Amino acid sequence: MNRLLDLFKNPLANFAIALLPATRCFGLKRALLNALGFEIGVGCKITGGVKFYGRGRIAIGEDTWIGLGCMFIVAPDAEIVIGSRCDIAPRVIFHTGSHRIGDGQRRAGEGYSSPITIANGSWIGTGSVVLGGSHVGSASILAAGATLLAGDYPADTLLAGVPATVKRAL
């Protein structure tokens, strides 16, 4: 039964989110996602157009906001964990997978994946991209449009740019 649920977990989640009002029915969305095997905390609000792909673990903490059109791409051997009281703006992409650099015949070489962690109280700006291996400390801000590469980023910092770097302490 778990194998069958794995096959339909994300399509069912995506379908349910598409059917429900974008900024309403948050409790119903949480209940459906938790029933499908996601780990969605009390008070978490997932808005419309959010999409889930892959078979890895996705955990989102209490009182976190997931903005319109966010995308979660998670490999089975990685996970995406977003803490409590985080604000994820619209169109943010979380992607745990990548490729090693291949030879001249095909530059996208062997695939691999790494987890993503966003600690409590952080704010991820509109249109940001968070790549596998990123670990954001608590109460940090990733500016709109920034791309976060693999690395450990300290708590209470403003990150911005492509690739994102620490701009200042908060």
Side-chain angles (χ1 to χ4, degrees), residues 94-156:
F94 296 91
H95 196 318
T96 63
S98 190
H99 293 271
R100 303 201 192 293
I101 297 175
D103 63 23
Q105 298 298 309
R106 186 174 197 145
R107 287 294 176 208
E110 176 188 8
Y112 69 93
S113 55
S114 302
I116 294 170
T117 305
I118 308 295
N120 296 341
S122 293
W123 174 19
I124 309 298
T126 299
S128 296
V129 176
V130 181
L131 298 177
S134 299
H135 304 278
V136 176
S138 63
S140 290
I141 299 171
L142 180 60
T147 297
L148 200 59
L149 303 180
D152 292 316
Y153 298 90
D156 297 304

Side-chain angles (χ1 to χ4, degrees), residues 43-63:
C44 176
K45 293 179 171 78
I46 296 178
T47 62
V50 173
K51 300 284 186 189
F52 300 100
Y53 301 98
R55 294 193 347 248
R57 176 177 174 248
I58 297 174
I60 302 172
E62 295 180 0
D63 297 318

Side-chain angles (χ1 to χ4, degrees), residues 5 54 61 67 82 158 168:
L5 180 59
I82 298 174
L158 171 63
R168 69 178 172 105

Side-chain angles (χ1 to χ4, degrees), residues 5-27:
L5 180 59
D6 278 349
L7 288 174
F8 293 102
K9 172 182 169 179
N10 291 337
L12 288 171
N14 294 341
F15 181 71
I17 290 171
L19 282 182
L20 294 169
T23 57
R24 301 280 185 271
C25 301
F26 298 119

